[in-house]
Amino acid sequence: MTVRRLIAPLWCSLLLFPLVACGPDDTGGSAPAAGVGVDADADADTDAGGDLPNVSRPACPFTADKVSDLVGQPMQDQGNCLFGDGNGVASLTITTASPLAGESTYDYQREQATQTYREVKDVDKGRKAYLAVKDIAGEAVVIGDKGSYTVTLSSFEAIGASAGGYEPTLRKVLDALPL
């Protein structure tokens, strides 16, 4: 009896699903306009607003060799601006965005950093920047005229054990960014 009660609603939903999923064709054959639930051209991450320039999201600013120099140990390019030590332990990741995108998430990122890291401090770089550190990781966020960058360092044994921990290395990375 229980199975019969479940079969009827199942059949009805299967019959109605294609009608609901397709929806009316009111676009006249043209592509849907960008809006809620529709991505505009994902590669054209350009913004305009305020006193921030209309700049696209920058490419990854470093090579594996440059990252190796900055962190003081050999690193491998693992794609999408992710660099690892080859052992699955230490990593440096850089997330890039347009200046406006960086500005719109900066306050939230900084607030989250105060909950995650032992120490968070403002840094005099670009338009706005901070760095955050704890024993096993560090993060820096900087917004410049050419783009915004979020840098995350994690699980570097030598850096974590050194005097000053992650802060000096994060400052070197920030100094090397094309702001």
Side-chain angles (χ1 to χ4, degrees), residues 31-35 37-47 54-57 98:
V38 178
D39 287 338
D41 185 9
D43 292 333
D45 183 13
T46 58
D47 306 300
N54 185 15
V55 177
S56 296
R57 179 178 61 93
S98 67

Side-chain angles (χ1 to χ4, degrees), residues 7-8 12 14 62 67 75 102 141:
I7 291 176
C12 289
L14 288 175
F62 301 135
V67 170
M75 299 296 285
V141 174

Side-chain angles (χ1 to χ4, degrees), residues 24-112:
D25 185 13
D26 60 358
T27 61
S30 64
V36 177
V38 178
D39 287 338
D41 185 9
D43 292 333
D45 183 13
T46 58
D47 306 300
D51 63 343
L52 294 172
N54 185 15
V55 177
S56 296
R57 179 178 61 93
C60 184
F62 301 135
T63 63
D65 289 338
K66 180 64 175 176
V67 170
S68 298
D69 289 342
L70 291 169
V71 300
Q73 75 179 60
M75 299 296 285
Q76 299 173 358
D77 186 342
Q78 297 179 331
N80 203 21
C81 221
L82 168 64
F83 303 92
D85 64 357
N87 299 320
V89 181
S91 69
L92 180 144
T93 305
I94 301 172
T95 305
T96 63
S98 67
L100 185 60
E103 181 70 38
S104 66
T105 60
Y106 181 86
D107 291 335
Y108 176 76
Q109 284 182 283
R110 194 176 192 298
E111 180 183 328
Q112 292 300 305

